[in-house]
Amino acid sequence: MNRLFCVIPCYNEQEVLPETSKRLQEKMETLIRKGKISEDSRVVFVNDGSKDNTWKMIQRLHEENPLFQGINLSKNMGHQNALLAGLLTAKDVCDAAISMDADLQDDINAIDEMVDKFLEGADVVYGVRSKRATDTFFKRFTAESYYKLVNALGAKTVYNHADFRLMSRRALLGLAEFGEVNLFLRGIVPMVGYNTEIVYYERAERFAGESKYPLKKMLSFAVEGITSLSTKPIKMITGLGIFIFFVSIAVLIYSLVRYFTGHTITGWTTTVISVWAIGGLMMISLGVIGEYVGKIYLETKNRPRFIIESYIADEQDEAVFKDNEHR
């Protein structure tokens, strides 16, 4: 029978954790009763340097029920790194792992269909939002534009999919082969390949607490995704440079014709506009190139993507986990 791990990254989630753990416990016990997963399946909460009582609550959950395990990172490493820490830690002790957020926006009931798809042979099952009825117009517009922009610029993602997915052990081992420091799992997981399926679900409103992804962070996340997985922006700059070069040749010919025909007019407005336009394009181009150079700098340092401070798990699992402390 297959051993399933649910990996939940947590950052300051003390308000929602009691309800999340309750619902996950009910779901896991139901799947065990139905014989779809083994009795030693687990829920792993990854504490990403929380400043509240999140880690103490995880410890208490483990003491009360061995179903719950915990990974405590040495400091706040960011959502994607915390998620990766949980997945890579679980890959050697599970047959499949489901990743989801702690805020209960991902539909826990969709786990049943994900497990069914896995049992039918799927290695990766993506949880995809069927609609965005709970979002404001601005949130819906920016989110949908985000997916379209990321895909248009070469970072292939699954439309309306965040980090709610199931991955088989084979897929997790494939994910472990990707060693980049700049993480964008929504784009990396599709690169793993293997047999994939999609499960549609309705995303709920956050159960409690505040969103960890305000607009500013979402914009930063979008830039991270594009520049981590695609060189298309640099190619676009090259294309723009070639276009401007040919335009400048056309303007040069036009100016010479005007000069030799005696129709030269001092064009202050044209000059100012040209200087500001070209200057602005150069600054944007340097900024994009600088973004890539910065990522190269971080990659060459080869810093660990996460450092695990402590575990709370079964003795057998903990022994395996200790082999994965630094990545």
Side-chain angles (χ1 to χ4, degrees):
M1 196 174 295
N2 294 297
R3 192 181 193 197
L4 177 70
F5 271 51
C6 287
V7 177
I8 322 290
C10 302
Y11 178 69
N12 295 342
E13 299 290 1
Q14 65 177 15
E15 295 180 0
V16 73
L17 204 55
E19 184 65 22
T20 301
S21 59
K22 175 185 174 183
R23 295 190 191 182
L24 282 171
Q25 180 177 341
E26 292 174 352
K27 177 55 62 180
M28 297 291 279
E29 290 175 348
T30 299
L31 291 171
I32 291 171
R33 284 196 302 270
K34 291 181 178 179
K36 292 186 177 182
I37 60 176
S38 64
E39 293 183 355
D40 58 350
S41 297
R42 296 290 182 261
V43 175
V44 182
F45 292 109
V46 184
N47 180 44
D48 185 24
S50 297
K51 298 177 181 178
D52 59 6
N53 293 319
T54 296
W55 179 240
K56 291 181 180 179
M57 295 176 70
I58 294 172
Q59 290 176 309
R60 192 180 309 120
L61 285 169
H62 175 70
E63 292 171 358
E64 295 173 352
N65 191 336
L67 170 70
F68 299 107
Q69 297 184 350
I71 298 173
N72 189 31
L73 301 186
S74 61
K75 61 184 289 291
N76 179 251
M77 298 289 184
H79 178 271
Q80 297 289 280
N81 289 290
L83 181 55
L84 185 70
L87 293 174
L88 294 189
T89 300
K91 67 178 173 55
D92 294 322
V93 294
C94 73
D95 296 297
I98 291 180
S99 60
M100 61 186 298
D101 291 336
D103 55 17
L104 293 176
Q105 288 189 284
D106 298 325
D107 185 7
I108 290 179
N109 291 321
I111 292 177
D112 296 73
E113 190 175 354
M114 286 183 166
V115 172
D116 289 340
K117 297 285 187 184
F118 166 69
L119 295 176
E120 292 170 3
D123 284 289
V124 181
V125 183
Y126 297 106
V128 175
R129 296 183 65 165
S130 57
K131 58 183 180 180
R132 290 182 170 271
T134 58
D135 290 348
T136 63
F137 171 79
F138 178 76
K139 173 66 175 177
R140 182 167 58 252
F141 174 76
T142 54
E144 292 177 350
S145 299
Y146 160 77
Y147 284 106
K148 293 176 182 178
L149 176 63
V150 168
N151 286 320
L153 292 179
K156 300 304 179 183
T157 61
V158 178
Y159 187 70
N160 269 341
H161 164 71
D163 290 301
F164 186 28
R165 70 179 76 88
L166 178 147
M167 298 183 70
S168 68
R169 183 179 182 184
R170 181 168 71 156
L172 290 172
L173 291 172
L175 177 64
E177 297 295 319
F178 290 78
E180 53 253 60
V181 174
N182 300 285
L183 287 176
F184 186 69
L185 293 177
R186 300 177 193 184
I188 294 175
V189 172
M191 296 170 65
V192 174
Y194 297 128
N195 183 30
T196 64
E197 293 286 349
I198 289 177
V199 169
Y200 292 97
Y201 72 99
E202 292 187 20
R203 190 170 171 87
E205 295 182 0
R206 183 179 175 87
F207 181 80
E210 298 180 354
S211 172
K212 306 304 185 295
Y213 271 92
L215 178 60
K216 181 179 180 181
K217 198 168 184 177
M218 280 300 298
L219 291 174
S220 176
F221 194 52
V223 172
E224 180 74 29
I226 295 168
T227 55
S228 295
L229 299 172
S230 173
T231 59
K232 197 167 184 178
I234 290 182
K235 294 178 181 178
M236 291 174 64
I237 289 175
T238 303
L240 181 61
I242 294 173
F243 172 74
I244 292 177
F245 173 73
F246 283 110
V247 169
S248 66
I249 292 178
V251 173
L252 175 62
I253 294 173
Y254 172 76
S255 299
L256 290 174
V257 170
R258 298 279 293 180
Y259 175 78
F260 287 115
T261 55
H263 294 90
T264 303
I265 300 175
T266 302
W268 180 86
T269 303
T270 305
T271 302
V272 170
I273 292 175
S274 299
V275 169
W276 279 94
I278 299 299
L281 287 172
M282 289 177 64
M283 293 299 293
I284 293 172
S285 301
L286 286 173
V288 172
I289 294 172
E291 188 72 28
Y292 280 94
V293 172
K295 283 186 170 19
I296 294 171
Y297 171 72
L298 292 175
E299 293 290 345
T300 55
K301 282 182 171 294
N302 197 29
R303 291 172 175 168
R305 293 174 291 185
F306 56 84
I307 299 175
I308 296 176
E309 179 180 321
S310 57
Y311 307 94
I312 43 173
D314 305 334
E315 290 184 7
Q316 184 177 354
D317 288 342
E318 188 174 348
V320 177
F321 290 173
K322 286 185 178 179
D323 293 332
N324 302 313
E325 286 189 352
H326 302 278
R327 295 289 176 179

